[in-house]
Amino acid sequence: MDFQEYEAARKKRIEKVLAYTEKGVRFIDPETAYIDEDIEIGRGTVIYPGVVLEGKVTIGENCVIGQNTKIKDSSIGDGTSVESSFILESSVGRDTKIGPFAYLRPGSEIGNGCKVGDFVEIKNSKMGDGAKASHLTYVGDSDVGQKVNLGCGVIFVNYDGSKKYRSVVEDGAFIGCNTNLISPVKVGKSAYVAAGSTVTSDVKDGALYVSRAKGRSLEGWVEKRGILKK
């Protein structure tokens, strides 16, 4: 592409971006927005620099699409914010917060009033209304109910090397930090899983699941090993 072709393409792209402003969409920097043809953006939505919208994308009203976000073949509900994240072939409800640095892989369905925080990856899974995964969590091939809380470092272990399995976490359950859910398992309604547990069997409604080795302290061990720092 020579300079003239580049300039013609750039002007066409900016004209397309500016056409959305007539419908009430605000662009922080129209020069750095990349938007395909089949895109719908609602009134009151703000688009930050470095945003890429590809394929068939629908974004509702009064959303915030933060910088360096890519959305492809997905839908975003009204009032949702997406910060520096990737959303591919997925749907996100209204009044939900995504990111920063979240990754929604194909087949993800996120409900209303949810939170998918930093370094959270969702793949081929559902999160019900009000569910939260605030940071450092992987949800793969699973169904997470309404108002479920997934603590930091929760992993849905869905692959055994040959097959992938699906787990279910029902409404109101609380999954503590650094928990491994070995699929397929089911965590019942309002059940609790203690931090640091590895879940290998179903958890009944309202139950507490704990799976830890008993901790112990070996006094004087550092000195005996001769590894004291000077």
Side-chain angles (χ1 to χ4, degrees):
M1 179 182 293
D2 60 25
F3 180 75
Q4 291 183 337
E5 290 174 328
Y6 169 80
E7 275 297 299
R10 186 183 69 85
K11 289 179 179 179
K12 183 178 179 181
R13 175 172 59 82
I14 294 174
E15 287 174 1
K16 182 170 59 176
V17 168
L18 292 176
Y20 285 96
T21 64
E22 299 176 2
K23 301 177 182 179
V25 180
R26 180 187 172 200
F27 290 85
I28 302 300
D29 183 3
E31 290 268 4
T32 61
Y34 295 83
I35 299 178
D36 270 355
E37 299 293 335
D38 198 9
I39 307 294
E40 297 180 15
I41 307 175
R43 181 175 296 275
T45 288
V46 180
I47 307 292
Y48 275 74
V51 169
V52 177
L53 306 178
E54 291 185 353
K56 184 176 179 59
V57 173
T58 301
I59 298 174
E61 297 182 350
N62 301 314
C63 295
V64 175
I65 309 301
Q67 65 187 41
N68 301 324
T69 288
K70 179 178 180 179
I71 303 174
K72 180 178 180 181
D73 295 324
S74 299
S75 63
I76 310 296
D78 295 345
T80 286
S81 66
V82 182
E83 298 290 344
S84 303
S85 297
F86 275 36
I87 300 176
L88 309 178
E89 299 174 30
S90 297
S91 65
V92 179
R94 64 181 182 275
D95 301 319
T96 286
K97 295 182 179 181
I98 305 293
F101 316 122
Y103 183 18
L104 271 58
R105 292 167 58 187
S108 297
E109 298 179 24
I110 311 301
N112 303 321
C114 293
K115 182 177 181 181
V116 178
D118 49 296
F119 305 105
V120 174
E121 180 177 349
I122 313 289
K123 175 250 179 186
N124 188 31
S125 296
K126 297 179 181 179
M127 291 184 67
D129 295 347
K132 295 180 180 180
S134 295
H135 35 211
L136 299 168
T137 289
Y138 172 68
V139 182
D141 300 303
S142 296
D143 300 295
V144 176
Q146 297 182 16
K147 296 184 179 180
V148 168
N149 188 90
L150 302 177
C152 178
V154 170
I155 304 296
F156 286 72
V157 185
N158 59 321
Y159 185 49
D160 67 359
S162 60
K163 295 182 180 179
K164 294 184 178 179
Y165 302 90
R166 200 166 189 91
S167 282
V168 175
V169 179
E170 296 194 327
D171 297 349
F174 184 98
I175 311 299
C177 295
N178 294 323
T179 289
N180 296 307
L181 295 148
I182 311 299
S183 299
V185 292
K186 177 181 177 181
V187 178
K189 293 181 179 179
S190 301
Y192 269 59
V193 176
S197 294
T198 294
V199 181
T200 57
S201 59
D202 292 350
V203 183
K204 294 182 178 181
D205 296 355
L208 170 65
Y209 185 101
V210 183
S211 173
R212 299 178 186 153
K214 185 177 181 180
R216 58 184 181 139
S217 178
L218 303 179
E219 295 183 9
W221 182 88
V222 173
E223 184 176 1
K224 289 177 182 178
R225 296 280 295 185
I227 54 176
L228 284 172
K229 295 180 180 180
K230 296 181 180 179

